Amino acid sequence: MSGPACWMTKLFNHISPKHPGWRNDRQVTANMDPSSSSFYHDELSRVLSEQSFGLTRYEVAGQSSAHEATATVTLLEGTNIKVSLNIRGYQLDDGQTHESIEALLQSISPTYVQKRQELIIAKLQSLQ
C-alpha cells in the first residue's frame, strides 16, 4: 500500500489506541480502498451529504457494484438527475464526467451555484 491511504492508515494506527471509540484500522483501510465494495457507495453518500445545502433531496441506491455507486438527486430547480461515481469520476446519464461533485453540480444547476456562493459569503462574513 502506498500513497494517501498508506500514510493515513499509519497515522490512524498511531493515534487510534488513544481513542478506543474509533473504528479499527481494517474498516478504515477497507473504506479508503477503491476496490472495496462499499468505497463508491460511502463516498457518494458523503459528498452528497456535504452538498445537501444545494439539493432538494438525494437517495443513494443500494450497492450497485464494487466499481460504481448511483444516486438519484433532485436539484433545487426541481429536476431529477442520476449521478454515478466510478473510477472515472462523477458521471451524469448523458456521459458528462467531472472530477468533483461540486463541478458536476455547478455545470447543471445555477441555483446550486447561487446557494454555494451565499454559503461561502455567509461563512466569510462570520469570520469578521
Side-chain angles (χ1 to χ4, degrees):
M1 181 174 12
S2 65
C6 181
W7 73 263
M8 289 172 64
T9 301
K10 287 179 184 177
L11 176 63
F12 176 83
N13 291 339
H14 176 72
I15 62 175
S16 64
K18 299 172 188 166
H19 302 281
W22 287 12
R23 298 177 292 184
N24 69 42
D25 68 294
R26 179 176 294 175
Q27 288 173 313
V28 171
T29 304
N31 288 339
M32 291 188 296
D33 180 3
S35 65
S36 166
S37 64
S38 66
F39 173 80
Y40 292 104
H41 182 273
D42 293 349
E43 182 66 9
L44 186 57
S45 296
R46 184 188 64 77
V47 299
L48 289 172
S49 173
E50 289 175 358
Q51 302 305 311
S52 63
F53 66 86
L55 306 171
T56 299
R57 67 179 296 276
Y58 67 90
E59 183 177 348
V60 179
Q63 197 62 37
S64 313
S65 75
H67 305 288
E68 183 173 68
T70 304
T72 303
V73 177
T74 304
L75 303 174
L76 292 173
E77 292 87 351
T79 307
N80 289 318
I81 61 168
K82 181 179 148 192
V83 176
S84 298
L85 174 61
N86 55 45
I87 197 162
R88 291 181 298 275
Y90 297 90
Q91 193 167 33
L92 295 169
D93 277 342
D94 67 3
Q96 285 186 55
T97 302
H98 298 271
E99 288 186 15
S100 70
I101 193 70
E102 294 89 348
L104 183 147
L105 293 170
Q106 288 173 3
S107 75
I108 59 172
S109 175
T111 311
Y112 167 83
V113 173
Q114 180 182 354
K115 286 286 186 186
R116 187 169 188 262
Q117 288 173 349
E118 290 170 2
L119 183 64
I120 290 169
I121 289 169
K123 287 187 179 198
L124 288 172
Q125 287 175 340
S126 73
L127 296 175
Q128 294 178 352

